[in-house]
Amino acid sequence: MWSRSFLRFGCRAPWLPVQDVKPQASLRTVSRLPLLRSCWQHTAPESLNCCWNLHEDHFELKYGDSLMRFDYVWLRDHCRSASCYNSKTNQRSLDTASVDLCIQPKHVRVDEATLFLTWPDDHVTKYSLSWLMKNSYEEQKDKTIQPRIVWNAKSYSEANIPSFTYEDFLLSEEQLKKFLEVFVLYGIAFVEGVPVHLEATEVVAQRAGLIRDTIYGRMWDFTSDFSRGDTAYTKLALDRHTDTPYFHEPCGYNNYDRTPLNIVAYDIIKRWYKAHRHLTTELRKPENELWIKLKPGKVLFIDNWRVLHGRESFTGYRQLCGCYLTRDDIMNAARRFGLVA
């Protein structure tokens, strides 16, 4: 028996020397520091120009080429002192709801590469400037939480994305890392040369992440059988879709499995259908379709939060096996290798 495998799944004040500063409601003080030496991730220090500015409700910091603004509430909430944060568990001990929303520090001091803040209750918070730069929400807002490459059939084909062989995928941590990098960037990845049976597909799936037990079972294996009561089990064409929209944790869009549209107001219905038509038109553009012929022993991993899949109608015999993976687990596996996921 053979199977094709398919996995779903800021009036400035003059520059001032370094000093303690007490913020006031109308204060607009900018202090310029000498060149600082910063150790970024334990690399060799380099000189960076650091300027900072106290405002009524936030702290403004220019460090190197980065301009960052931090609300005082945020600075108090993110204190990493022993009484506020457990460094072993990476969990807060501070009750965020107890922090005054109008809080201001009594004293502010910057020396070399550290910011010191003394709060009204005399609690001292200190931050390395490099940590602030790394965790600034303004620095992060233009970054994609999960880096992705937006592709179409042409750009994907020209990118020469590698497939991964069964043996290397199972035995090489470096190959697993490369696989996860491809999967995170593109939303699909392939493993080839897999022995043509369900058990081998299961081994490959478990290498990537935890298999999710669903109403379909842990692993599923099927041929065309309309008695199963699902179009997926027929030889009919399947339009672009993702799976399990009826789950509490659904993968995404599926036109086939929509229930009656009875939860939106009458005056919104037409807008819904116009939006649906626009989405469908984009999805059906040939340039957005990547056609792949699955051969025995070729396993396809799909990120159902990103990539839709479908098929053309067919004749003859076809057998597939596959499963659903826990998405959190596969993304955690990527982070274990230092990938941004």
Side-chain angles (χ1 to χ4, degrees):
M1 180 186 76
W2 61 268
S3 66
R4 295 184 181 92
S5 302
F6 192 69
L7 300 183
R8 318 269 206 243
F9 339 140
C11 193
R12 288 185 173 181
W15 295 110
L16 302 175
V18 180
Q19 57 182 316
D20 287 350
V21 180
K22 299 180 180 180
Q24 299 174 2
S26 61
L27 184 62
R28 293 292 186 273
T29 304
V30 178
S31 297
R32 186 170 186 173
L33 301 176
L35 293 180
L36 299 180
R37 293 193 177 276
S38 169
C39 295
W40 178 250
Q41 294 184 349
H42 304 289
T43 58
E46 60 180 326
S47 295
L48 291 174
N49 190 31
C50 178
C51 310
W52 50 280
N53 191 3
L54 287 173
H55 295 268
E56 181 178 356
D57 60 352
H58 70 277
F59 178 78
E60 188 175 37
L61 173 69
K62 185 178 185 301
Y63 187 59
D65 295 328
S66 298
L67 179 63
M68 300 163 281
R69 291 170 295 184
F70 299 95
D71 192 290
Y72 294 130
V73 175
W74 188 95
L75 289 168
R76 183 63 187 91
D77 179 46
H78 286 76
C79 180
R80 291 305 192 249
S81 67
S83 63
C84 297
Y85 186 79
N86 189 320
S87 60
K88 291 184 178 180
T89 64
N90 293 318
Q91 293 175 310
R92 280 182 171 79
S93 303
L94 174 68
D95 177 14
T96 301
S98 71
V99 180
D100 184 354
L101 295 179
C102 298
I103 195 170
Q104 291 180 336
K106 293 199 305 182
H107 300 285
V108 176
R109 179 167 62 90
V110 179
D111 66 2
E112 296 186 356
T114 307
L115 167 66
F116 298 86
L117 301 164
T118 303
W119 302 103
D121 61 356
D122 293 324
H123 181 81
V124 177
T125 293
K126 64 179 180 179
Y127 293 109
S128 69
L129 302 187
S130 59
W131 187 93
L132 289 172
M133 183 164 65
K134 181 180 179 181
N135 292 283
S136 163
Y137 38 87
E138 288 196 307
E139 284 291 292
Q140 300 296 325
K141 68 180 180 181
D142 293 328
K143 297 180 181 178
T144 303
I145 295 176
Q146 293 182 2
R148 296 174 172 89
I149 293 177
V150 178
W151 53 272
N152 57 25
K154 183 174 184 294
S155 62
Y156 182 89
S157 300
E158 292 177 347
N160 294 318
I161 310 303
S163 293
F164 301 87
T165 63
Y166 177 68
E167 294 81 4
D168 289 344
F169 181 71
L170 294 183
L171 300 176
S172 170
E173 290 291 285
E174 185 60 30
Q175 286 294 297
L176 177 58
K177 177 181 178 180
K178 290 180 179 179
F179 165 86
L180 292 168
E181 183 175 24
V182 168
F183 183 76
V184 169
L185 290 177
Y186 292 92
I188 60 174
F190 298 89
V191 178
E192 298 184 330
V194 180
V196 188
H197 52 77
L198 183 145
E199 290 77 13
T201 304
E202 182 175 8
V203 170
V204 169
Q206 291 180 130
R207 176 67 165 154
L210 290 176
I211 297 177
R212 182 177 179 180
D213 211 344
T214 70
I215 58 175
Y216 304 104
R218 176 178 169 82
M219 298 289 300
W220 30 265
D221 181 9
F222 67 93
T223 60
S224 301
D225 181 4
F226 192 67
S227 67
R228 302 288 293 271
D230 191 322
T231 311
Y233 293 91
T234 71
K235 296 181 180 181
L236 301 175
L238 291 180
D239 200 7
R240 306 107 184 108
H241 67 281
T242 63
D243 287 359
T244 68
Y246 38 82
F247 283 9
H248 282 293
E249 297 177 0
C251 294
Y253 168 87
N254 189 318
N255 198 46
Y256 298 100
D257 294 322
R258 284 191 293 111
T259 58
L261 189 59
N262 55 15
I263 60 172
V264 295
Y266 166 78
D267 58 345
I268 297 178
I269 291 291
K270 183 69 73 175
R271 290 162 54 192
W272 188 93
Y273 277 102
K274 287 182 178 179
H276 179 272
R277 185 64 48 84
H278 179 70
L279 174 63
T280 303
T281 300
E282 289 298 317
L283 293 177
R284 291 178 176 172
K285 287 182 177 179
E287 61 266 30
N288 293 329
E289 298 178 342
L290 177 67
W291 286 90
I292 297 168
K293 186 174 183 178
L294 280 178
K295 298 179 179 180
K298 188 169 186 174
V299 177
L300 167 60
F301 290 76
I302 299 178
D303 183 347
N304 272 297
W305 284 21
R306 286 196 58 195
V307 180
L308 283 72
H309 60 274
R311 69 160 188 252
E312 189 54 275
S313 62
F314 65 93
T315 60
Y317 179 82
R318 185 191 72 153
Q319 186 168 355
L320 293 176
C321 69
C323 62
Y324 295 101
L325 296 181
T326 303
R327 193 171 188 275
D328 284 343
D329 189 65
I330 198 169
M331 291 303 169
N332 285 337
R335 295 185 189 102
R336 180 169 62 87
F337 285 107
L339 302 174
V340 179

